[in-house]
Amino acid sequence: MDHEAAQLEKQHVHDVYEGTAPYFNDLQSKAWPRVRQFLQEQKPGSLIADIGCGTGKYLKVNSQVYTLGCDYCRPLVEIARSRGCEVMVCDNLHLPFRDQGFDAIISIGVIHHFSTKQRRIRAIKEMARVLVPGGQLMIYVWAMEQKNRHFEKQDVLVPWNRALCSQLFSDSSQPGRKQQCGHPERSHPYHPPCSVCSCSVCFKEQGHSKRSHSMDYEPMMARACCANISEEGEEENGFYNTFGKSFRSWFFSRSLDESTLRKQAERVRPLKTTEAWANSTISIQPSRHSSLDLDRQEPLSTRQQTSDEDVFVETSQKQLEWLRAPATKKHLRGGQQREVRRNGDGNFLESTNTNANRVNAGDVEEGDPSSKILRRISAVDSTDSNPDATISVEEQQPNVLDSRALMRYYHVFREGELYGLLKENVSELHVLSSGNDHGNWCIIAEKKDNCD
Amino acid sequence: MKLLTHNLLSSHVRGVGPRGFPLRLQATEVRINPVEFNPDFVARMIPKVEWAALLEAADTVPKEPIEGYEHDEKFLRKMHHVLLEVDVLEGTLQCPESGRLFPISRGIPNMLLSDEETET
């Protein structure tokens, strides 16, 4: 199962970040205040590691400490390096550090990308290993409980709505996402269909993009302009409802962990391809709203004042305490982070996407996964215990980096889950505090003395 | 890659354990990167450094921190230079136990191992 887990993560975490890294060279997303604070509170002369540092947004927060960044994704590490950060490429599960080298470690939006509980535990244990006794570890993971978004399941594939406009207007994007697709920022959160932009399948994303991951790609598409899709502007479920029941049958309740247990029980051969497995056990988020990821962006003055920004402002007053309640209600309205496959990728969408001009040249997804998926649905429905039946349909699609098919895997955490995970499995750590911050479950834990 | 970073790195090839430290550094391209001198910062770093590993990597370093180093500006400046200003752009890091080479390119060490090398 570990192999399948690694395969899933390769396809829906690593390959996505690698493929998308080049487009976000210019983005400087803001650090989360609470994380900043944690870093700034570290003693001068501390050695700190940011495991899963992405483009390195936290690496220069505190000039009095030595912060090393590492990430699995080389292109992102290169970006961080180009900003003058000290970084390396490595694997959270096998940290290339000697024991007890670091005074503090941060893991912001990282371990929710591990697809099994065991791997998540291993990641945490690795970080604990390289911490000095008394050193602190801060972990942020995306919460399942979100005010303006509904996660069907805990194991989800979240579409990544890269603004297709970025292809057309890639050089005109300004810092702070003020202009996407060359359009002026509007104060109203809902953008009417855009007549100027010729890209017909731009994704529209309202409000802040939040990703509880260390790198923030959302800014690029925050203001994707076009809305020629008929469902645009409908009630939030408009898109989702388009596919109806057949689509929903994708949504299984089993995570990879559960699926494996079941397979073992039934002595079924393990899945051969991650794609098939993923589709049978993971929920694909229709993402009615912008994903409520960590908001790394400063609120823009011209933006519609959403309650995200209110929260952000509010948070500054509460920076010293965890928000105990779930994330404050956000008014992300009409956040239409569309399911990527709707772009006329395949049969699914022809009828609903009349203006399926593809902005991205030449990225027909090989093998037309949508139709394969359709076929697979029935297979999976009836033979979930026989995953092999679903696999023969397709091989791995090499062109999985089609911008419209970029889906990132997340295991979103329930309240208390992260805490429980540490408490029950990582005895070398003692939890100091935990809470919720902008839709993320967060924890600060300390390495106990007299261990390892 | 700075030498302070090197001081933290260890090989995680399966089975080597603590014998994977320190990595043997072979630099083929080095750059000196001026960094603002912060004596307090350097003084705090000194006790955290694995001195033997640093000696291996930079033979210009004194055999050990001198007595009263916290106030010895000359010493601190020297350590500042070695730990923070020397930047290895190209080279390799070799696991002393297994011999496995980790490349450094464009200043970035690549510490990823293959599945076979890490399998437990």
Side-chain angles (χ1 to χ4, degrees), chain A residues 136-153:
Chain A
Q136 291 186 357
L137 166 62
M138 172 183 259
I139 303 177
Y140 263 54
V141 292
W142 212 3
M144 185 179 190
E145 303 85 347
Q146 300 283 343
K147 273 292 187 168
N148 291 336
R149 168 183 208 136
H150 174 61
F151 283 116
E152 295 268 339
K153 307 293 169 204

Side-chain angles (χ1 to χ4, degrees), chain A residues 158-159 210-213 218 291 293-294 296 337 408 410:
Chain A
V158 178
K210 297 175 186 302
R211 228 170 251 295
S212 53
H213 192 283
E218 295 307 316
S291 61
D293 294 343
L294 291 179
R296 301 247 157 70
Q337 182 172 324
R408 276 183 282 177
Y410 288 87

